[in-house]
Amino acid sequence: MIQFCPQCATRVQQRLFEGKLRPTCPACGYIAFADPKVAATVLLERAGKLLFIRRAIDPGRGRWCFPGGYVDFGEDPLLAAERECREETGLEVVDLELLDVTFDGRVIVITYLGHVAVEAEAQPGDDADFAAWLGPQELPPLAFRTMLRPIELWQKRAQSTGGE
Ligand SMILES: [Zn+2]
C-alpha cells in the first residue's frame, strides 16, 4: 500500500472508488490501483508423464510443483514460462499452448502445456532439490491446489487423443 502520492507526494487517503477503498490523493486526485500477481507455469509432458520438481523453499517446501514462477512487469507470460523452465530445470521447452487459468485468491496462475525441445535430464535449479517425470497414477504431494484442475484437463486431453 502506498503512503504518498507518486505524482505530488501528498499523503494519500483511503477513499471509495467504484465500490472499493483505494489510496487516493486529496491534492491531485491520483488513485492507486494495486495490480494482481500473475504466475506462469508449465505442464511439461513426455511419454504420458509430467515433470514435477520438489520445492526446496517455502511456500510448499518439500512438496511438488510444476516449473513456474512470477511473471515480471512487462514480460509476456509465455516467455516467463519458458524462462522459469530454463531456470528451474535447465530444459528448453517448445510448443507451449495455453491449458488453464486459475486463481487462488491472491495469484492468477497461467498454465501452459509444453514439451522439451531436446531430450535431456532435468537439472533442478536453486528453488528445487529433485525433478521427476510422473504419471497420473503416481502424483506426489502437491504444493498448490491450483495444480489440480490443469492436471485433470491434461488427463482428459490425453484420454481423448488416445494418450500420447
Ligand atoms: Zn497527488
Side-chain angles (χ1 to χ4, degrees):
M1 274 300 167
I2 67 161
Q3 302 282 322
F4 299 95
C5 174
Q7 292 188 160
C8 73
T10 304
R11 182 176 282 278
V12 297
Q13 300 171 352
Q14 297 296 322
R15 288 189 187 171
L16 269 181
F17 179 78
E18 293 179 349
K20 274 192 176 176
L21 282 174
R22 311 269 188 192
T24 304
C25 177
C28 74
Y30 174 86
I31 303 173
F33 294 89
D35 294 323
K37 278 292 220 183
V38 180
T41 185
V42 181
L43 270 67
L44 258 174
E45 183 185 42
R46 187 179 79 178
K49 297 188 172 192
L50 297 176
L51 183 68
F52 291 86
I53 55 175
R54 197 174 76 172
R55 296 177 62 80
I57 56 165
D58 280 320
R61 186 191 184 115
R63 291 173 163 266
W64 298 72
C65 67
F66 303 119
Y70 290 117
V71 179
D72 277 337
F73 185 84
E75 185 181 36
D76 185 323
L78 192 134
L79 296 180
E82 292 177 349
R83 174 179 57 74
E84 291 287 348
C85 278
R86 199 179 306 124
E87 290 173 2
E88 296 188 341
T89 70
L91 297 172
E92 290 294 331
V93 294
V94 289
D95 307 331
L96 287 190
E97 54 176 309
L98 181 64
L99 182 67
D100 199 13
V101 177
T102 53
F103 180 60
D104 69 358
R106 193 180 73 88
V107 183
I108 296 166
V109 182
I110 301 172
T111 301
Y112 297 94
L113 185 63
H115 300 90
V116 287
V118 182
E119 205 51 52
E121 285 311 308
Q123 305 290 337
D126 292 345
D127 301 350
D129 54 8
F130 276 105
W133 296 92
L134 300 169
Q137 308 310 321
E138 45 190 1
L139 293 183
L142 302 178
F144 308 109
R145 62 183 169 83
T146 48
M147 297 169 66
L148 285 172
R149 199 173 73 187
I151 292 173
E152 279 174 24
L153 287 172
W154 168 71
Q155 283 182 273
K156 277 186 195 150
R157 284 167 65 122
Q159 283 158 8
S160 65
T161 56
E164 285 179 88

